[in-house]
Amino acid sequence: MPSTPDSPHLPAVKISSRGVGRLKQGHVWVYRSDIVAADGAPPGALVGVTDERGKALGMALYSSASQIAIRMISPGKLSNLETLLRERIRAAIAYRERVVRDTDAYRVVFSEGDFLPGLIVDRYNDILCFQVLTQAIDTASTRETIISELTDCFHPAAIAERVDPRIRELEQLPARSSGLIQGDKTGTLISMNGVRFHYDALEGQKTGAFLDQRENYAAAAQYARGEALDVFCYHGGFALHLAQHSSGVTGVDSSRPALEQAERNSLLNGREIEWIEANAFDLLKDYSASGRKYDTIVLDPPAFAKNKQSLDTALRGYKELNLRALKMLRPGGMLISCSCSHHVSPAGFLEVITQAARDVHRTIRIVENRGQARDHPMLLTVPETGYLKCLIMHVNA
Ligand code: SAH
């Protein structure tokens, strides 16, 4: 097995000049097409990276299956991976202590955004929930280190793992089911901006909630008034916040379990909200055709563009939703429109809304141009870490 001059015991991976160029730009990924040789590097190994001449470029975590073959974790030598992982988890926690406010539910580790590629950790009050995205993070020793460090730092009542089967398949990892790794508590109550929610570690989408929208809930609530419609409401994150300042709120989602949880959440907060199980496209079409009007509308659809190929279809979807919502807003109404597809750029998203507004002859002013919450930090040189767009717009006559 070839090894780097700096670290004779580690497998070496040689990358092309295009790969080197990418790292020089500050990115941390090298694609499989830029791997010149990875002879003998086992799946998920810590590897030394070199250019074609053998010059050392740093240390990385290797995947034998993903298109992203290499994720850099250190530009220099690395004597002990466990120490590095522990330090980075502690640094991620310290960062949250500076930027997270008014909640006991937030992302503790955001993969590349926290220099821990392949690892997501969310805190939901006394329950921690983690997700593994790569071969390297899935190794027994790495898992052990992560769980031990999280236990030391938080002393949680339970730690749960949420598995995304699609990701495990892409990484060619053996199938595994979601479950508790430690402790026996699966449910708890969380609070965001003073609004309370039920949390169940083994139910729902993602790790259970959309924490990336937490600050946008509070922002949107400031401008809400009159009648509000929360489209793609899930557990009612926006709806429950809007309810503080609205005369009536309706939430729409196609998932019945999500709406059942939303109803439990409205009871918990003493709010009366109408939840409607429907396909948002059909419902908006019917409502806008029949002349329904609202003062505040939130659109927070799932990621329509999962890859570059589906971008056009995604943009058409966003345009349709925004167009219908604009038709339904009373003069002076507020539209809160989100997109969580990384492949839809902030400029592309603005363009879609501009087109929709032009088609329905509405004039829009941007009140706030927002993104993901601060506990999901975007790393400037890794644009993929930025994905959420949330525009708060005032819609004129
Ligand atoms: N606003 C939510 C997150 C929305 S995630 C929050 O802040 O928590 C997207 C939601 O859209 C999911 O709850 C999913 O069930 C729902 N969904 C997906 N396709 C849908 C469709 N065609 N019509 C209505 N809801 C849909």
Side-chain angles (χ1 to χ4, degrees):
M1 188 187 294
S3 56
T4 49
D6 275 352
S7 49
H9 56 291
L10 287 179
V13 172
K14 198 175 271 187
I15 65 173
S16 70
S17 55
R18 196 171 56 175
V20 175
R22 230 177 130 69
L23 297 186
K24 285 215 170 108
Q25 301 284 317
H27 210 292
V28 296
W29 295 350
V30 178
Y31 291 104
R32 186 148 309 283
S33 52
D34 288 320
I35 302 294
V36 176
D39 319 289
L46 176 66
V47 296
V49 182
T50 74
D51 68 9
E52 292 202 60
R53 290 203 201 134
K55 185 175 161 234
L57 301 168
M59 301 284 142
L61 301 175
Y62 178 69
S63 168
S64 61
S66 165
Q67 278 314 304
I68 305 167
I70 270 184
R71 296 172 199 242
M72 297 301 293
I73 49 161
S74 168
K77 273 197 270 185
L78 184 65
S79 44
N80 190 319
L81 180 61
E82 179 179 339
T83 309
L84 180 96
L85 292 172
R86 287 185 183 274
E87 278 169 11
R88 294 215 172 148
I89 291 173
R90 284 198 298 272
I93 294 169
Y95 171 81
R96 271 65 188 176
E97 280 163 9
R98 294 184 64 185
V99 303
V100 172
R101 298 279 173 276
D102 301 327
T103 187
D104 54 12
Y106 53 90
R107 179 146 295 184
V108 179
V109 176
F110 181 46
S111 199
E112 278 79 357
D114 283 298
F115 317 104
L116 285 163
L119 177 66
I120 298 286
V121 182
D122 288 338
R123 174 181 168 195
Y124 292 95
N125 190 359
D126 53 351
I127 298 181
L128 293 179
C129 189
F130 74 92
Q131 202 163 35
V132 166
L133 310 176
T134 58
Q135 291 176 351
I137 299 294
D138 200 53
T139 59
S141 60
T142 301
R143 280 174 164 273
E144 224 167 85
T145 302
I146 292 165
I147 290 162
S148 140
E149 189 59 38
L150 290 173
T151 305
D152 290 352
C153 292
F154 288 101
H155 306 290
I159 301 183
E161 176 177 11
R162 289 299 289 261
V163 173
D164 182 336
R166 200 183 52 92
I167 287 172
R168 288 193 76 85
E169 212 173 292
L170 284 175
E171 286 281 296
Q172 291 173 6
L173 289 166
R176 209 188 152 96
S177 40
S178 296
L180 285 180
I181 300 289
Q182 196 173 288
D184 55 13
K185 188 172 180 183
T186 56
T188 194
L189 290 180
I190 58 167
S191 153
M192 301 193 226
N193 316 302
V195 177
R196 299 201 302 153
F197 296 83
H198 289 278
Y199 173 70
D200 193 325
L202 303 179
E203 301 288 332
Q205 304 171 27
K206 293 183 91 183
T207 65
F210 292 84
L211 299 174
D212 50 2
Q213 289 283 25
R214 187 186 60 254
E215 294 172 356
N216 295 331
Y217 298 153
Q222 294 177 77
Y223 311 106
R225 59 164 201 204
E227 289 174 87
L229 180 66
D230 176 7
V231 189
F232 306 97
C233 65
Y234 189 57
H235 291 170
F238 278 105
L240 287 158
H241 281 78
L242 300 180
Q244 298 167 323
H245 305 286
S246 305
S247 52
V249 182
T250 302
V252 181
D253 204 282
S254 58
S255 157
R256 178 175 286 271
L259 293 177
E260 285 168 358
Q261 187 78 325
E263 173 61 15
R264 281 194 286 274
N265 289 335
S266 43
L267 290 174
L268 183 65
N269 291 278
R271 301 275 178 202
E272 228 173 88
I273 293 176
E274 178 191 26
W275 305 108
I276 301 179
E277 183 184 340
N279 178 321
F281 286 90
D282 297 341
L283 181 121
L284 289 182
K285 194 170 168 199
D286 291 352
Y287 275 23
S288 61
S290 63
R292 287 228 191 191
K293 297 287 175 208
Y294 290 92
D295 302 286
T296 312
I297 300 180
V298 174
L299 299 174
D300 184 20
F304 292 145
K306 296 255 191 249
N307 49 45
K308 278 189 198 150
Q309 291 72 37
S310 54
L311 186 59
D312 282 348
T313 322
L315 292 176
R316 274 197 298 279
Y318 287 118
K319 180 169 173 193
E320 179 176 338
L321 292 172
N322 282 279
L323 191 139
R324 303 241 188 250
L326 285 170
K327 267 192 188 169
M328 287 165 33
L329 276 170
R330 295 198 176 98
M334 285 283 184
L335 175 61
I336 295 103
S337 187
C338 311
S339 159
C340 58
S341 304
H342 163 72
H343 299 286
V344 175
S345 68
F349 190 50
L350 275 173
E351 176 57 27
V352 161
I353 293 176
T354 308
Q355 286 171 11
R358 203 179 292 140
D359 285 5
V360 292
H361 310 291
R362 303 294 303 257
T363 306
I364 289 180
R365 285 180 287 182
I366 305 283
V367 181
E368 290 194 38
N369 189 343
R370 307 178 56 90
Q372 59 225 40
R374 278 168 279 195
D375 46 326
H376 295 60
M378 177 185 162
L379 190 57
L380 192 58
T381 49
V382 181
E384 292 82 355
T385 53
Y387 61 99
L388 184 63
K389 291 142 302 274
C390 172
L391 291 170
I392 303 185
M393 296 170 277
H394 177 269
V395 182
N396 270 39

